Each structure stands twice: as structure tokens, then as C-alpha cells.
Amino acid sequence: MNAQIVTKANKGKIASDIKEGVNNAIETLNQHSHPTGEHELWDGYIAPKVGLGISSLPGAGGRPELGFVGGVYVEVFVAKNLGLSMELTYQHQGANRVRYSEYAAIANADGEIVDHTVNTARYYYNLDYINTYYLIHWYPWPTRPISFYTGLQLSRLVNAKSEVKGSSTADIKDRLHKGELNIPIGVSWEVGQWEFDARYFFSPREIAKTRQAKAILGNARNMSLSLTVAYRIRIF
């Protein structure tokens, strides 16, 4: 970034420099890439990505939740068909209409239990995570820009809300485990500088931490399938 005082003598040169800088930036972003499954050693890429995730809470029931996924990753090739990447993403997860039934006793005037009633509620869970990925990508075909990958996913819960339909919303972040360690699996396909990605993970850890949360969620775990698109920019 440069700053100059604009005068009659230099305004033409400044306008030319600005135009050249814009053209250089466009050329950097638009690299006219023709991807294959084979790369040079230490080729490096950076890519912003966005997409949608479909998540649920197996063990609790309910319906899947649709949420936003967005982030950025850096990938470096350590062999012709092997890349290592580090990724940081935000992802919205949860589930809808998780049913919870609670039995309440009905007593007579003498305090004797004579009957009971069942109170049923439908919970809506909205969970937001910051995820860090450490992945290894395998490109099995030299002429096809397709990769299969797996690795480690470290997740940090940053927001958690539950809502009973027709009632108020509660902050339940302190009732759930803050971190998770998962093993994602995925596949990606490149078209020019665009990359289309599908990724799945199932968490081995129950999300409920407190007794109250376990009473409602049971052994619920996070499960997610995400579909994203990224724009790859070669950096070295």
C-alpha cells in the first residue's frame, strides 16, 4: 500500500499505477488453471470456501438442521499426488423437533398418588462451532483432479441455544461439552480454480455434559454432511 499527494504533474502516473495494481490483483486471482491429479513438490494453494451443512443429533431423534459453512484452507503438496492442508471453518449444526416427555404425578387431597400426566415438548437446537482441520489429501489419478481425504477435526462450541416451540429460548452452552475430536472423511473435485467438496463426520463423543442435558439429550452425538465450494489460488 502506497500513499502519494496528487498534483497536476503526477495525477496521470498515479492513475496508471492504480490501474496496473488492479490488473495485477485480477491476474493473481484469475490464474487460468487447468487442474490435474498430479502436482509439483511444494505447490501451495489458499482457498476461501462456503457452503451448506446438514446436521442431526443421533441418539436424541428429531429432524435434521440445515446450516451455513464457511472458512478458508491452505494446502501444500508433499508428493506429486499427496497434499497436506490446514483449515479453519465456522459451521452451524443442531437438530429440530427433538421430542422429550416428562412424567408428572397427580396426588389427591391426602397426598396420595392417584394418577400421572405426561408433558411432551419439542426442542429445537442451534449449535455453532469453530472447526480446525488437519487433513491429508490423496489424488489417485494423475489426469483427474479428484482427491479423497481424511484427518483430524478439532471443534470448539461457541454458541448453543435450545428453544421449545411456542416458548422461550435458553442458552445451554454451559450444559454441553465445549470441545470435540472427530475424524472427517471427504472427496473433492476441481473445475478450473473452483473446488467442489463433500464431507462427512460422526462424533464419538456425547454432547451433553450436565445431568439436566443428559435427561433430555441422552447419548446424542453430532453428525454432519457438508457440501461446499472453494476458490483455489496458487500462492507458490
Side-chain angles (χ1 to χ4, degrees):
M1 179 179 293
N2 296 301
Q4 299 181 45
I5 297 175
V6 180
T7 65
K8 289 183 178 181
N10 67 8
K11 66 179 182 180
K13 177 66 167 59
I14 292 175
S16 176
D17 290 344
I18 291 174
K19 183 178 179 180
E20 182 181 355
V22 171
N23 290 335
N24 289 340
I26 293 173
E27 187 64 27
T28 299
L29 296 176
N30 186 9
Q31 298 175 340
H32 308 288
S33 177
H34 301 283
T36 66
E38 193 169 87
H39 296 76
E40 296 296 328
L41 185 64
W42 307 122
D43 278 357
Y45 296 83
I46 186 171
K49 60 185 297 184
V50 295
L52 293 174
I54 303 173
S55 61
S56 62
L57 296 173
R63 298 178 181 177
E65 169 83 356
L66 187 66
F68 172 79
V69 181
V72 63
Y73 73 80
V74 175
E75 181 179 4
V76 176
F77 284 84
V78 295
K80 287 186 176 182
N81 65 342
L82 207 64
L84 300 179
S85 73
M86 180 177 176
E87 182 177 318
L88 183 67
T89 64
Y90 158 87
Q91 183 168 359
H92 177 78
Q93 297 174 203
N96 296 320
R97 298 180 65 83
V98 175
R99 182 176 180 178
Y100 173 66
S101 297
E102 185 177 41
Y103 290 84
I106 299 176
N108 60 19
D110 298 325
E112 298 175 339
I113 304 299
V114 296
D115 203 351
H116 70 273
T117 184
V118 180
N119 299 318
T120 300
R122 301 278 186 179
Y123 284 84
Y124 293 73
Y125 290 96
N126 295 290
L127 313 176
D128 298 312
Y129 285 88
I130 297 295
N131 303 315
T132 306
Y133 294 89
Y134 303 91
L135 304 172
I136 181 168
H137 303 254
W138 175 50
Y139 294 75
W141 297 290
T143 59
R144 297 182 181 180
I146 185 172
S147 75
F148 301 90
Y149 62 85
T150 187
L152 293 178
Q153 172 189 339
L154 305 178
S155 299
R156 185 70 178 177
L157 181 67
V158 294
N159 181 61
K161 297 286 194 302
S162 70
E163 179 184 358
V164 178
K165 191 172 181 62
S167 183
S168 60
T169 300
D171 188 335
I172 59 170
K173 183 179 176 182
D174 292 337
R175 305 175 193 175
L176 307 181
H177 289 293
K178 300 297 189 299
E180 289 188 354
L181 174 63
N182 305 316
I183 300 178
I185 56 173
V187 58
S188 66
W189 176 270
E190 296 172 47
V191 179
Q193 286 181 252
W194 296 99
E195 179 187 73
F196 301 90
D197 181 281
R199 181 178 303 178
Y200 169 84
F201 82 84
F202 176 76
S203 177
R205 187 181 195 183
E206 299 175 2
I207 66 171
K209 181 176 69 173
T210 65
R211 182 178 300 178
Q212 181 182 8
K214 290 178 180 179
I216 299 175
L217 288 166
N219 63 348
R221 293 168 167 81
N222 276 311
M223 182 174 72
S224 175
L225 171 66
S226 63
L227 303 173
T228 60
V229 58
Y231 190 75
R232 287 167 65 89
I233 303 168
R234 184 168 177 176
I235 51 177
F236 50 83

